[in-house]
Amino acid sequence: MRVAGLPPLSKLGEFGLIRYLGGRFGRTSASVLCGIGDDAAIVQPLSHRELLVTTDLLVEGIHFQSGTASFADIGYKAAVANLSDIAAMGGSPDYILVSLAIPPQRTTQNIDQLYHGLMEACRREKVDLIGGDTSASHQALFIGVTLIGSAKPGHALRRTGARAGDLLYVSGTLGDSLAGLSLIENQRGRGDAKLPREHRRYLVGRHLRPTPRLRLGRILSSTKVATSAIDISDGLGGDLSRLCEASAVGAEIDQGAIPCSAACRAYAALSHIDPIQLALRGGEDYELLFTVAPRHARKVKQLARQAKCPVTCVGVVKPKAHGIQIRQRTGILKPLNVQSYEHFQNTKRPAKHR
Amino acid sequence: MRVAGLPPLSKLGEFGLIRYLGGRFGRTSASVLCGIGDDAAIVQPLSHRELLVTTDLLVEGIHFQSGTASFADIGYKAAVANLSDIAAMGGSPDYILVSLAIPPQRTTQNIDQLYHGLMEACRREKVDLIGGDTSASHQALFIGVTLIGSAKPGHALRRTGARAGDLLYVSGTLGDSLAGLSLIENQRGRGDAKLPREHRRYLVGRHLRPTPRLRLGRILSSTKVATSAIDISDGLGGDLSRLCEASAVGAEIDQGAIPCSAACRAYAALSHIDPIQLALRGGEDYELLFTVAPRHARKVKQLARQAKCPVTCVGVVKPKAHGIQIRQRTGILKPLNVQSYEHFQNTKRPAKHR
């Protein structure tokens, strides 16, 4: 939805922009006692809940490119990055705060669209926009998002609970987002022209509008079926290694079991790349990686059906000394070579965040 | 305090940096069930408290210059900007999250110092560092801070409670921060050489290390003596106009009553400027502007002594139709010409934020 006739930022001014955004997007459910427009927001926390708090800073040219995504898409994904963190804790998202540093070339319309995308991602979960900050920026657009959620006391899923013998599961399919990004960045690239249009649409959609797995996360935490969880924002390899580090365990994953979509496999075949590499190294799938005691193997499938989110067992947790290994299609075990995006080394991996 | 032999960011990497910062600065009081290192922090909210949430995004070259402040000073003030928001609500700050986008020229030592300054400002109030995010930035350093505090239900001070007839008070002295900034930026500037060293030190200190008025804010809210409050981060003129707008009132302030320090007056005299202009237009004083029913005029002085923070009555709240006027030293009333920093108009006012 576009809003006609928005005044330019220079006319609206910082406080005019805050008033406009607050009026248009500032939601106020009953628990928000004071939203946008004071020195701080005031909220009435839900009784008998633990608070979950996560924050992400997204940088133009690093996490997103304004040339390859609309402002609504950029906003949508900024929200999902945080919603997915709450999903990985098994919680419910409640309140969002959004800060922007806006370079001179951006218009009120751009900012309006960005917030529109952000709040679209939040709508299903009825997240209230309760605050933020706006500032000028000399060059790039910066988006700071803070999301506050809640969980039943003692039920939040942590990265630290995996035990040797637990089964390793992932939700959905992996690698789609990186395939979608490659399609967007490389319009006439390798094999792209031959890719059926519906595959292309699916992969680009998975990159631009990923789904935070909130329902699955909540079912896994409320039933206490998962022993640990992390969201896959950095490729299965990187996030598995972080889960293992936090839980002081090793892992063995089965290459043949890693779920890739038909679209991702078709894209990979046409591009002469291994779809498993997209799954292991691709960022921004925003699926969940979680561990489950073997006795719950049947139950987890049933819960996944309830959450309307497919899950796949991709391996097993091992003692720490085992390291992290991947069983190749030949049956041979090899150490998993973890390559994930490194912010401070100028590597050329695609944009994603944490 | 400096830490010798920190590895470079390119070697430490994003996750190494998070581990280092979490280990060195991540505080964990009993209410923090899970701090830095998971998808989200988990905290146990205090029972029978309302939550206060504020966030600020600070941009190098706009809110701060790395050439005129140390990284510890930059971090200190980033924390104060948020602590002061909680002070203006009459609350207690509890948890902080800090996100950084770091350009290539910055070192691990710079980031360590920045966090050191941040946590120094938080120490007195025992604020826990519970999360954040780190990313690369192409050019400028960006600092996103989110602060979560709490207040007794129904006691938080808002901007909306001022009523015609209330007295207008400010804490401390105004204009010091802008005078300090001018001294830093203009080392051999107007009148500077003749300014006594202790005045210079005082003004620069007020700019680099301002004091959030948390104790005063809490006393004003817990006793219900103040009817409204805002922090002065944008000059008395700008913040008074925002308070009046939120409360739908006008105001009359008395130029002769506006408190300026001896150092600020000495600086202004040597620079041939009016110290009142520094007070009205200067940002980043982080004093409180608040309103009090006239029957509490004696009580507010007593509470200020208790909070060890001087307060001065600078005017009175008027009906909205009155507008905002300033009584000049000649006795003549004039409309207050509000000039505050405008982020989207490339004005050349000093860096400050909101």
Side-chain angles (χ1 to χ4, degrees):
Chain A
M1 191 180 83
R2 295 195 161 253
V3 176
L6 286 177
L9 282 177
S10 59
K11 199 174 165 194
L12 202 57
E14 182 188 359
F15 301 107
L17 179 64
I18 291 171
R19 260 194 302 271
Y20 170 75
L21 294 172
R24 182 153 146 75
F25 300 107
R27 286 160 147 279
T28 46
S29 68
S31 68
V32 180
L33 307 176
C34 174
I36 290 170
D38 214 306
D39 290 290
I42 312 175
V43 298
Q44 177 67 60
L46 291 168
S47 57
H48 311 299
R49 298 282 284 180
E50 286 168 1
L51 281 184
L52 306 174
V53 194
T54 181
T55 191
D56 267 301
L57 185 57
L58 290 90
V59 183
E60 184 175 1
I62 290 175
H63 300 93
F64 61 88
Q65 316 284 344
S66 60
T68 54
S70 71
F71 283 92
D73 291 333
I74 292 165
Y76 194 97
K77 204 149 68 177
V80 170
N82 288 273
L83 290 166
S84 178
D85 283 329
I86 298 298
M89 305 298 288
S92 292
D94 301 315
Y95 311 109
I96 195 166
L97 298 97
V98 181
S99 294
L100 297 181
I102 307 169
Q105 67 272 26
R106 298 300 163 215
T107 65
T108 310
Q109 185 81 51
N110 296 156
I111 304 310
D112 180 76
Q113 288 295 302
L114 195 149
Y115 268 81
H116 190 74
L118 254 157
M119 294 316 293
E120 198 182 334
C122 289
R123 195 172 304 139
R124 187 189 298 231
E125 293 282 331
K126 298 198 177 76
V127 176
D128 291 319
L129 175 68
I130 60 166
D133 189 24
T134 59
S135 154
S137 166
H138 287 304
Q139 241 194 4
L141 177 66
F142 283 69
I143 310 171
V145 177
T146 299
L147 189 62
I148 301 178
S150 61
K152 216 171 134 181
H155 281 65
L157 299 171
R158 308 191 188 193
R159 296 181 182 178
T160 49
R163 295 294 167 258
D166 285 354
L167 302 175
L168 272 165
Y169 283 84
V170 297
S171 65
T173 54
L174 303 182
D176 294 335
S177 179
L178 181 52
L181 174 64
S182 307
L183 285 169
I184 293 169
E185 285 186 340
N186 191 16
Q187 297 274 352
R188 281 162 195 78
R190 299 166 295 176
D192 183 12
K194 293 182 206 151
L195 191 69
R197 193 180 293 172
E198 68 272 21
H199 282 347
R200 184 188 162 83
R201 198 179 302 134
Y202 171 82
L203 294 172
V204 169
R206 288 272 291 163
H207 177 69
L208 294 178
R209 301 262 170 154
T211 305
R213 299 298 191 183
L214 285 153
R215 210 161 158 180
L216 178 66
R218 272 198 294 264
I219 284 186
L220 292 172
S221 72
S222 64
T223 55
K224 294 213 169 197
V225 156
T227 53
S228 73
I230 188 171
D231 74 324
I232 304 179
S233 57
D234 198 42
L236 175 61
D239 290 311
L240 173 62
S241 81
R242 270 181 285 286
L243 183 85
C244 286
E245 191 190 327
S247 289
V249 294
E252 185 182 310
I253 56 172
D254 179 0
Q255 185 171 325
I258 295 173
C260 289
S261 67
C264 181
R265 279 183 276 115
Y267 167 79
L270 288 167
S271 305
H272 309 293
I273 52 179
D274 184 351
I276 297 302
Q277 290 308 312
L278 294 173
L280 287 173
R281 298 164 54 190
E284 299 194 311
D285 281 317
Y286 297 116
E287 296 295 345
L288 298 185
L289 168 65
F290 58 97
T291 56
V292 170
R295 70 179 185 282
H296 289 315
R298 189 177 296 177
K299 180 141 198 204
V300 76
K301 285 284 181 187
Q302 175 203 326
L303 294 176
R305 272 193 301 274
Q306 228 174 292
K308 292 181 181 148
C309 175
V311 300
T312 310
C313 180
V314 294
V316 62
V317 178
K318 294 277 183 182
K320 191 180 168 73
H322 186 91
I324 303 177
Q325 299 199 297
I326 182 163
R327 187 171 299 277
Q328 301 191 294
R329 287 196 189 85
T330 55
I332 294 166
L333 267 181
K334 273 201 174 174
L336 182 68
N337 186 8
V338 177
Q339 286 187 304
S340 59
Y341 183 82
E342 177 42 66
H343 268 295
F344 306 124
Q345 281 170 356
N346 301 319
T347 51
K348 292 214 169 179
R349 272 287 312 290
K352 30 83 308 76
H353 45 88
R354 149 143 316 278
Chain B
M1 191 178 83
R2 296 194 159 254
V3 176
L6 286 177
L9 283 177
S10 59
K11 199 173 163 192
L12 202 54
E14 182 189 357
F15 301 106
L17 179 64
I18 290 171
R19 261 194 302 272
Y20 169 75
L21 294 171
R24 183 154 146 74
F25 300 107
R27 285 158 148 278
T28 46
S29 69
S31 68
V32 180
L33 306 176
C34 175
I36 290 170
D38 215 306
D39 291 289
I42 312 173
V43 298
Q44 176 67 59
L46 291 168
S47 57
H48 311 299
R49 300 280 284 179
E50 286 168 0
L51 281 185
L52 306 173
V53 193
T54 182
T55 189
D56 267 300
L57 185 58
L58 290 91
V59 183
E60 184 175 1
I62 290 175
H63 300 93
F64 61 88
Q65 316 284 344
S66 61
T68 54
S70 72
F71 283 92
D73 291 332
I74 292 166
Y76 194 96
K77 204 149 66 176
V80 170
N82 287 275
L83 290 166
S84 179
D85 283 328
I86 299 296
M89 304 298 290
S92 292
D94 301 315
Y95 311 109
I96 196 166
L97 297 97
V98 181
S99 293
L100 297 180
I102 307 168
Q105 68 272 24
R106 299 299 163 216
T107 65
T108 310
Q109 185 81 51
N110 296 155
I111 304 309
D112 180 77
Q113 289 295 301
L114 195 149
Y115 269 80
H116 191 73
L118 253 157
M119 295 315 293
E120 198 182 335
C122 290
R123 194 172 304 137
R124 185 190 299 228
E125 294 281 331
K126 299 198 176 77
V127 176
D128 291 319
L129 176 67
I130 61 166
D133 189 24
T134 59
S135 155
S137 165
H138 287 305
Q139 237 194 8
L141 177 65
F142 283 69
I143 311 171
V145 177
T146 299
L147 189 62
I148 300 177
S150 60
K152 216 170 135 183
H155 281 65
L157 299 171
R158 307 190 189 192
R159 295 180 182 178
T160 49
R163 295 293 167 258
D166 284 354
L167 302 174
L168 274 165
Y169 284 84
V170 296
S171 65
T173 55
L174 303 182
D176 294 336
S177 179
L178 181 52
L181 174 64
S182 308
L183 286 168
I184 293 169
E185 285 187 339
N186 191 16
Q187 297 275 350
R188 281 163 196 78
R190 300 166 295 175
D192 182 14
K194 292 180 206 153
L195 191 71
R197 193 179 295 172
E198 68 273 21
H199 282 347
R200 183 188 163 81
R201 199 180 302 133
Y202 171 81
L203 295 172
V204 168
R206 288 273 290 165
H207 177 70
L208 295 178
R209 301 261 170 158
T211 305
R213 298 300 190 181
L214 285 153
R215 209 162 158 178
L216 177 67
R218 271 198 295 264
I219 283 185
L220 292 173
S221 70
S222 65
T223 56
K224 294 215 168 195
V225 156
T227 53
S228 73
I230 188 172
D231 74 324
I232 304 179
S233 56
D234 198 40
L236 176 59
D239 289 310
L240 173 61
S241 79
R242 269 181 285 287
L243 183 84
C244 287
E245 190 190 328
S247 290
V249 294
E252 185 182 311
I253 57 172
D254 180 0
Q255 184 171 326
I258 295 171
C260 289
S261 67
C264 181
R265 280 183 275 114
Y267 167 79
L270 287 167
S271 305
H272 309 293
I273 50 178
D274 184 352
I276 297 302
Q277 290 307 313
L278 295 173
L280 287 174
R281 297 166 54 189
E284 298 195 312
D285 280 318
Y286 296 114
E287 296 295 348
L288 297 186
L289 167 65
F290 57 97
T291 56
V292 171
R295 70 179 185 281
H296 288 316
R298 189 177 295 176
K299 181 141 197 204
V300 75
K301 284 285 179 187
Q302 175 203 326
L303 295 176
R305 272 194 299 277
Q306 229 174 292
K308 291 182 180 144
C309 175
V311 299
T312 310
C313 180
V314 295
V316 63
V317 178
K318 294 278 183 182
K320 190 179 168 74
H322 186 91
I324 304 177
Q325 299 200 294
I326 183 163
R327 187 170 299 278
Q328 301 190 294
R329 287 195 189 84
T330 54
I332 294 167
L333 267 181
K334 273 200 173 176
L336 183 67
N337 185 8
V338 177
Q339 287 187 303
S340 59
Y341 183 82
E342 177 44 63
H343 268 293
F344 306 123
Q345 283 169 355
N346 301 317
T347 52
K348 291 213 167 181
R349 274 284 313 289
K352 36 80 302 83
H353 46 86
R354 148 142 318 277

PDB file of all heavy atoms in Angstrom, chain B residues 157-168:
ATOM      1  N   LEU B 157       6.705   9.057  35.043  1.00  0.00           N
ATOM      2  CA  LEU B 157       6.450  10.456  34.666  1.00  0.00           C
ATOM      3  C   LEU B 157       6.327  10.544  33.158  1.00  0.00           C
ATOM      4  O   LEU B 157       7.217  10.105  32.434  1.00  0.00           O
ATOM      5  CB  LEU B 157       7.618  11.336  35.120  1.00  0.00           C
ATOM      6  CG  LEU B 157       7.882  11.379  36.623  1.00  0.00           C
ATOM      7  CD1 LEU B 157       9.195  12.113  36.902  1.00  0.00           C
ATOM      8  CD2 LEU B 157       6.724  12.069  37.336  1.00  0.00           C
ATOM      9  N   ARG B 158       5.268  11.128  32.689  1.00  0.00           N
ATOM     10  CA  ARG B 158       5.080  11.275  31.243  1.00  0.00           C
ATOM     11  C   ARG B 158       5.199  12.738  30.859  1.00  0.00           C
ATOM     12  O   ARG B 158       5.231  13.623  31.696  1.00  0.00           O
ATOM     13  CB  ARG B 158       3.704  10.751  30.845  1.00  0.00           C
ATOM     14  CG  ARG B 158       3.467   9.328  31.345  1.00  0.00           C
ATOM     15  CD  ARG B 158       2.234   8.772  30.733  1.00  0.00           C
ATOM     16  NE  ARG B 158       1.877   7.500  31.359  1.00  0.00           N
ATOM     17  CZ  ARG B 158       0.982   6.680  30.874  1.00  0.00           C
ATOM     18  NH1 ARG B 158       0.351   6.976  29.749  1.00  0.00           N
ATOM     19  NH2 ARG B 158       0.692   5.552  31.490  1.00  0.00           N
ATOM     20  N   ARG B 159       5.212  12.947  29.535  1.00  0.00           N
ATOM     21  CA  ARG B 159       5.258  14.316  29.046  1.00  0.00           C
ATOM     22  C   ARG B 159       3.871  14.954  29.036  1.00  0.00           C
ATOM     23  O   ARG B 159       3.751  16.149  28.794  1.00  0.00           O
ATOM     24  CB  ARG B 159       5.773  14.327  27.600  1.00  0.00           C
ATOM     25  CG  ARG B 159       7.196  13.860  27.457  1.00  0.00           C
ATOM     26  CD  ARG B 159       7.600  13.915  25.981  1.00  0.00           C
ATOM     27  NE  ARG B 159       8.963  13.425  25.830  1.00  0.00           N
ATOM     28  CZ  ARG B 159       9.572  13.311  24.655  1.00  0.00           C
ATOM     29  NH1 ARG B 159       8.942  13.643  23.549  1.00  0.00           N
ATOM     30  NH2 ARG B 159      10.819  12.861  24.593  1.00  0.00           N
ATOM     31  N   THR B 160       2.869  14.139  29.265  1.00  0.00           N
ATOM     32  CA  THR B 160       1.493  14.583  28.991  1.00  0.00           C
ATOM     33  C   THR B 160       0.770  15.181  30.190  1.00  0.00           C
ATOM     34  O   THR B 160      -0.363  15.624  30.054  1.00  0.00           O
ATOM     35  CB  THR B 160       0.656  13.378  28.514  1.00  0.00           C
ATOM     36  OG1 THR B 160       0.861  12.297  29.434  1.00  0.00           O
ATOM     37  CG2 THR B 160       1.071  12.943  27.128  1.00  0.00           C
ATOM     38  N   GLY B 161       1.424  15.219  31.371  1.00  0.00           N
ATOM     39  CA  GLY B 161       0.667  15.570  32.584  1.00  0.00           C
ATOM     40  C   GLY B 161       0.707  17.034  33.001  1.00  0.00           C
ATOM     41  O   GLY B 161       0.111  17.393  34.023  1.00  0.00           O
ATOM     42  N   ALA B 162       1.390  17.912  32.256  1.00  0.00           N
ATOM     43  CA  ALA B 162       1.496  19.318  32.684  1.00  0.00           C
ATOM     44  C   ALA B 162       0.138  20.010  32.564  1.00  0.00           C
ATOM     45  O   ALA B 162      -0.583  19.817  31.581  1.00  0.00           O
ATOM     46  CB  ALA B 162       2.534  20.037  31.832  1.00  0.00           C
ATOM     47  N   ARG B 163      -0.207  20.808  33.569  1.00  0.00           N
ATOM     48  CA  ARG B 163      -1.482  21.536  33.563  1.00  0.00           C
ATOM     49  C   ARG B 163      -1.215  23.030  33.760  1.00  0.00           C
ATOM     50  O   ARG B 163      -0.272  23.403  34.473  1.00  0.00           O
ATOM     51  CB  ARG B 163      -2.381  21.038  34.706  1.00  0.00           C
ATOM     52  CG  ARG B 163      -2.836  19.594  34.572  1.00  0.00           C
ATOM     53  CD  ARG B 163      -3.798  19.403  33.378  1.00  0.00           C
ATOM     54  NE  ARG B 163      -3.987  17.986  33.071  1.00  0.00           N
ATOM     55  CZ  ARG B 163      -3.383  17.340  32.061  1.00  0.00           C
ATOM     56  NH1 ARG B 163      -2.544  17.969  31.258  1.00  0.00           N
ATOM     57  NH2 ARG B 163      -3.610  16.057  31.852  1.00  0.00           N
ATOM     58  N   ALA B 164      -2.032  23.868  33.138  1.00  0.00           N
ATOM     59  CA  ALA B 164      -1.875  25.320  33.280  1.00  0.00           C
ATOM     60  C   ALA B 164      -1.838  25.670  34.768  1.00  0.00           C
ATOM     61  O   ALA B 164      -2.650  25.175  35.552  1.00  0.00           O
ATOM     62  CB  ALA B 164      -3.020  26.045  32.584  1.00  0.00           C
ATOM     63  N   GLY B 165      -0.875  26.483  35.144  1.00  0.00           N
ATOM     64  CA  GLY B 165      -0.703  26.846  36.547  1.00  0.00           C
ATOM     65  C   GLY B 165       0.455  26.119  37.204  1.00  0.00           C
ATOM     66  O   GLY B 165       1.032  26.595  38.190  1.00  0.00           O
ATOM     67  N   ASP B 166       0.840  24.941  36.662  1.00  0.00           N
ATOM     68  CA  ASP B 166       1.997  24.219  37.213  1.00  0.00           C
ATOM     69  C   ASP B 166       3.261  25.065  37.071  1.00  0.00           C
ATOM     70  O   ASP B 166       3.388  25.868  36.138  1.00  0.00           O
ATOM     71  CB  ASP B 166       2.230  22.902  36.449  1.00  0.00           C
ATOM     72  CG  ASP B 166       1.226  21.804  36.813  1.00  0.00           C
ATOM     73  OD1 ASP B 166       0.416  22.018  37.733  1.00  0.00           O
ATOM     74  OD2 ASP B 166       1.260  20.746  36.160  1.00  0.00           O
ATOM     75  N   LEU B 167       4.179  24.864  37.981  1.00  0.00           N
ATOM     76  CA  LEU B 167       5.475  25.543  37.881  1.00  0.00           C
ATOM     77  C   LEU B 167       6.423  24.691  37.042  1.00  0.00           C
ATOM     78  O   LEU B 167       6.382  23.458  37.091  1.00  0.00           O
ATOM     79  CB  LEU B 167       6.063  25.758  39.276  1.00  0.00           C
ATOM     80  CG  LEU B 167       5.172  26.583  40.220  1.00  0.00           C
ATOM     81  CD1 LEU B 167       5.781  26.620  41.629  1.00  0.00           C
ATOM     82  CD2 LEU B 167       4.978  28.005  39.680  1.00  0.00           C
ATOM     83  N   LEU B 168       7.287  25.369  36.264  1.00  0.00           N
ATOM     84  CA  LEU B 168       8.269  24.689  35.414  1.00  0.00           C
ATOM     85  C   LEU B 168       9.631  24.690  36.102  1.00  0.00           C
ATOM     86  O   LEU B 168      10.124  25.769  36.480  1.00  0.00           O
ATOM     87  CB  LEU B 168       8.419  25.446  34.092  1.00  0.00           C
ATOM     88  CG  LEU B 168       7.457  25.118  32.958  1.00  0.00           C
ATOM     89  CD1 LEU B 168       7.525  26.210  31.900  1.00  0.00           C
ATOM     90  CD2 LEU B 168       7.827  23.757  32.342  1.00  0.00           C
TER      91      LEU B 168
END
